[in-house]
């Protein structure tokens, strides 16, 4: 592209920055850099621009104005700002509900009558509030509904709520939301896990039948496990992420949760398939029906119990005992049980941490919550919304983001991109390690792998130091779940029992596109009528009457 050279420019006029929300220029403007700003950029990014070129580039830079301004005006003409839809702040005793919506179905389908709770990162409708547990997103309205929501409503479901999440979804504990901890319906002394805490709690409490959750390293499956909710994460790419705030494309996934395996399988089937916007799906990604042949028959299914997953290094012995009991139940039902070893079991959580710290967090700081390199639809207004609030209130940034960005800001002495390249190239190592027990022929070859989803729900934090609180939020909650996000594998979190009155779950992992095997195990372990809801608090019965 050729850029016309303009004449000398007058210095940019100084602004009186009095209102923090007037810091940014109009939406359809583009400001060319001065020679001084080019020099600063050259120094910061080591561009190697000489003094003569700084002046030359400054004279040429205004030639880029027309493409930017024309594109911005075209976008504004076709994307009017959304008007807010009716939404009432949540008032449940678990602090799970962000907004009550009650959006009716748009079709009469197989999900008729089912109530859906959305993680607050999922856009319910144009003009619906969207958040991520953060004050930085407060007041933001969705420009369009998420594909999964449109499909659920067309199938007859009611969108009842958006639900609270951990602050910027960078936590696993369920206690970092700007609105306070999300309580576990089974125990008010514990949280619902994170980051999709509110959605899992809403289903466990009986406020919703289905939950749509985001999962970057376990943030959908772990809260489901903490709340006694069945959760299914499909093979990467089968469910579109369009209209859902993500974190890193390598890890972002949709999880469907519910108390009945058949409801989850049906809802997941109805939202699957390409939507033309999520590029991870490719041009040929037809819907998949996991509900048609759903069966509780596990006879002959070869299940590999991962020895490392139940060791004291990775699992509470009381949780391991519950998992072993369910494994014996599966054996009694005809499953073929094997003990298998995955020596690299602890590596996945470390790789996920590196990808988050060196990829997800920098992208978040660059306001890339509004866009994804793998989803065509985006929202420049969200970029502006977050930037406005960060300028006015930088302290609103999640402490987990602040810590990660400051600790990794100098890249550990290596060039930028070193750690991302290292972590990404370890993903094939993880894939091979988890595939080995399934693909390598022999007497111990299995169809699926089994272990815990996590330990019991975290306690509601009492008085503790800032360091203790941060360590807790960046703790070991993803050690069982992260590998599935990294490798694109499907995974199911199946309620397995209770430890000290708190739900715990087992996790089943299989090869891509083998969800039916995971669902067979989930159906075999499902109680008649589905997994039960938590006891209703007495004070909620009074206030909701």
């Amino acid at each position: 592209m050729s850029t016309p050279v303009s004449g000398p420019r007058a210095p940019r006029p100084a602004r009186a920055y009095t209102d923090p929300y007037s810091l940014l220029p109009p939406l359809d403007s583009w400001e060319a850099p001065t020679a001084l700003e080019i020099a600063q950029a050259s120094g910061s990014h080591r561009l190697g621009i000489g003094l003569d070129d700084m002046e030359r580039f400054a004279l040429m830079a205004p030639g880029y104005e027309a493409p930017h301004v024309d594109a911005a005006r075209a976008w504004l003409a076709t994307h009017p700002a959304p008007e807010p839809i009716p939404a009432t702040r949540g008032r449940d005793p678990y602090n799970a509900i962000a907004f009550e919506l009650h959006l009716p179905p748009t079709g009469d389908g197989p999900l008729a009558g089912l109530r859906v709770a959305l993680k607050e990162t999922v856009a319910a409708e144009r003009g619906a509030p969207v958040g991520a547990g953060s004050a930085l997103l407060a007041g933001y309205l969705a420009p369009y509904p998420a594909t999964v929501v449109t499909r659920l409503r067309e199938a007859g479901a009611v969108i009842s709520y958006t639900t609270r999440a951990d602050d910027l979804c960078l936590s696993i504990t369920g206690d970092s939301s700007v609105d306070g901890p999300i309580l576990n319906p089974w125990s008010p002394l514990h949280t619902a896990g994170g980051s999709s805490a509110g959605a899992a709690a809403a289903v466990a409490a009986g406020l919703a039948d289905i939950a749509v959750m985001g999962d970057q390293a376990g943030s959908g499956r772990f809260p489901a496990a903490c709340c006694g909710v069945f959760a299914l994460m499909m093979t990467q790419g089968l469910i579109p992420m369009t209209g859902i705030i993500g974190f890193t494309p390598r890890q972002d996934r949709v999880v469907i949760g519910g108390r009945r395996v058949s409801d989850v399988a049906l809802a997941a089937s109805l939202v699957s398939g390409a939507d033309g916007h999520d590029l991870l799906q490719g041009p040929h990604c037809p819907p998949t029906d996991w509900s048609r042949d759903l069966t509780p028959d596990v006879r002959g299914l070869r299940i590999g119990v991962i020895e490392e997953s139940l060791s004291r290094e990775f699992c509470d012995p009381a949780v391991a005992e519950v998992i072993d009991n369910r494994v014996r139940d599966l054996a009694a039902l005809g499953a073929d049980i094997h003990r298998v070893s995955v020596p690299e079991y602890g590596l996945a959580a470390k790789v996920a941490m590196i990808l988050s710290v060196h990829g997800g967090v920098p992208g978040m700081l660059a306001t890339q919550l509004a866009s994804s390199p793998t989803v065509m639809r985006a929202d420049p207004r969200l970029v502006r919304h977050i930037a406005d609030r960060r300028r006015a209130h930088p302290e609103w940034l999640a402490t987990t983001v602040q810590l990660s960005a400051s600790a990794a800001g100098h890249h550990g002495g290596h060039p930028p991109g070193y750690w991302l390249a290292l972590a990404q190239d370890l993903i094939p190592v993880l894939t091979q390690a988890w595939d080995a027990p399934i693909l390598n022929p022999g007497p111990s070859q299995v169809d699926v792998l089994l272990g815990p989803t996590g330990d019991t729900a975290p306690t509601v934090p009492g008085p503790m130091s800032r360091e203790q609180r941060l360590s807790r939020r960046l703790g070991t909650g993803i050690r069982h779940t992260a590998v599935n996000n990294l490798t694109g594998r499907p995974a199911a979190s199946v309620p397995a029992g209770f430890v000290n009155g708190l739900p715990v779950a087992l996790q089943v992992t299989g090869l891509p596109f083998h969800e039916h095997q995971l669902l067979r195990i989930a159906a075999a372990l499902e109680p008649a009528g589905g997994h039960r809801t938590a006891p209703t608090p007495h004070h909620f019965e009074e206030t909701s009457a």
Side-chain angles (χ1 to χ4, degrees):
M1 180 184 71
S2 61
T3 57
V5 178
S6 66
R9 289 187 296 142
R12 184 175 298 165
R15 289 182 182 160
Y17 289 148
T18 55
D19 179 359
Y21 294 98
S22 67
L23 290 168
L24 295 174
L27 289 168
D28 61 350
S29 68
W30 188 83
E31 294 182 348
T34 64
L36 177 59
E37 289 167 335
I38 289 175
Q40 292 170 338
S42 180
S44 298
H45 301 290
R46 298 186 180 183
L47 301 180
I49 302 175
L51 290 175
D52 290 344
D53 276 344
M54 290 177 189
E55 294 291 344
R56 185 175 294 110
F57 291 175
L59 290 174
M60 297 179 68
Y64 290 94
E65 180 176 5
H68 288 82
V69 171
D70 291 347
R73 290 175 179 171
W75 181 80
L76 287 168
T78 54
H79 294 77
E83 295 293 330
I85 66 171
T88 305
R89 294 285 293 181
R91 53 187 177 85
D92 65 292
Y94 316 106
N95 197 36
I97 307 302
F99 288 96
E100 299 180 10
L101 299 177
H102 304 295
L103 298 175
T106 57
D108 184 15
L111 298 182
L114 288 187
R115 303 160 298 164
V116 178
L118 308 174
K119 186 176 183 177
E120 60 180 332
T121 55
V122 181
E125 180 57 279
R126 175 176 169 81
V130 177
S134 170
L136 294 176
L137 274 77
Y140 170 66
L141 301 178
Y144 53 86
T147 298
V148 293
V149 174
T150 299
R151 291 175 176 177
L152 288 171
R153 293 180 69 187
E154 289 172 348
V158 176
I159 308 302
S160 298
Y161 312 106
T162 61
T163 57
R164 294 192 170 100
D166 272 322
D167 195 344
L168 290 178
C169 302
L170 196 68
S171 178
I172 200 75
T173 54
D175 62 30
S176 68
S177 169
V178 67
D179 295 303
I182 296 96
L183 304 183
N184 195 311
W186 293 93
S187 167
L189 301 178
H190 295 78
T191 74
S195 64
S196 305
V203 173
L207 303 177
D209 304 300
I210 292 291
V212 178
M213 299 177 276
D215 191 310
Q216 286 74 38
S219 48
R221 286 159 291 155
F222 181 64
C226 292
C227 293
V229 171
F230 171 63
L232 178 65
M233 184 174 77
M234 289 60 64
T235 301
Q236 187 175 42
L238 291 183
I239 308 297
M241 282 288 296
T242 310
I244 302 174
I245 293 177
F247 190 59
T248 59
R250 175 73 262 176
Q251 297 166 275
D252 292 334
R253 304 280 282 283
V254 174
V255 165
I256 306 295
R259 294 187 304 278
R260 297 175 60 92
V261 174
S262 58
D263 288 346
V264 171
L266 180 58
S269 302
L270 292 169
V271 301
S272 67
D275 70 348
H277 297 291
D278 188 336
L279 302 179
L280 277 178
Q281 297 188 286
H284 305 294
C285 181
T288 303
D289 188 352
W290 294 294
S291 65
R292 184 178 57 188
D293 299 321
L294 181 63
T295 173
D297 185 4
V298 294
R299 288 176 295 178
L301 188 65
R302 299 169 299 177
I303 299 175
V305 180
I306 304 174
E307 293 179 336
E308 290 83 359
S309 73
L310 298 176
S311 67
R312 287 181 177 270
E313 179 183 358
F314 295 107
C315 186
D316 183 322
V319 174
E321 182 179 356
V322 172
I323 303 301
D324 279 331
N325 288 338
R326 297 292 78 77
V327 169
R328 283 192 284 271
D329 292 340
L330 291 169
L333 292 171
D336 187 7
I337 307 298
H338 298 268
R339 299 282 169 170
V340 300
S341 176
V342 180
E344 296 84 353
Y345 194 81
L347 180 60
K350 299 169 185 176
V351 172
M353 178 66 76
I354 292 174
L355 288 174
S356 296
V357 168
H358 294 276
V361 167
M364 183 182 295
L365 294 177
T367 58
Q368 290 175 6
L369 288 176
S371 64
S372 167
T374 61
V375 179
M376 295 170 67
R377 301 206 69 175
D379 188 13
R381 287 192 178 92
L382 178 54
V383 175
R384 301 266 304 206
H385 185 96
I386 296 174
D388 280 344
R389 280 148 182 76
R390 281 193 62 198
R391 287 173 184 255
H393 295 284
E395 74 279 5
W396 284 356
L397 193 64
T399 53
T400 47
V401 174
Q402 292 173 334
L403 172 62
S404 297
S406 60
H410 73 310
H411 309 289
H414 293 275
Y418 171 84
W419 292 107
L420 280 179
L422 184 148
Q424 187 167 327
D425 212 39
L426 281 172
I427 293 175
V429 174
L430 295 171
T431 301
Q432 184 177 16
W434 260 257
D435 282 354
I438 300 177
L439 297 180
N440 292 346
S444 297
Q445 186 179 17
V446 298
D447 301 305
V448 297
L449 299 176
L450 184 150
T453 306
D455 288 335
T456 54
T459 57
V460 175
M464 62 177 62
S465 69
R466 192 172 180 83
E467 292 81 6
Q468 290 172 322
R469 193 177 296 270
L470 275 169
S471 296
R472 164 191 170 94
R473 291 172 181 171
L474 294 174
T476 57
I478 64 172
R479 56 191 172 186
H480 300 292
T481 51
V483 67
N484 301 292
N485 299 79
L486 297 173
T487 62
R489 300 297 191 263
S493 179
V494 184
F498 293 83
V499 171
N500 297 324
L502 293 169
V504 295
L506 61 83
Q507 179 178 236
V508 194
T509 302
L511 292 176
F513 311 109
H514 283 63
E515 283 81 357
H516 62 284
Q517 294 178 332
L518 315 186
L519 287 166
R520 286 172 64 186
I521 294 173
L525 296 177
E526 181 181 26
H531 299 283
R532 61 192 177 98
T533 59
T536 303
H538 177 65
H539 68 277
F540 184 53
E541 292 177 345
E542 294 175 346
T543 57
S544 61

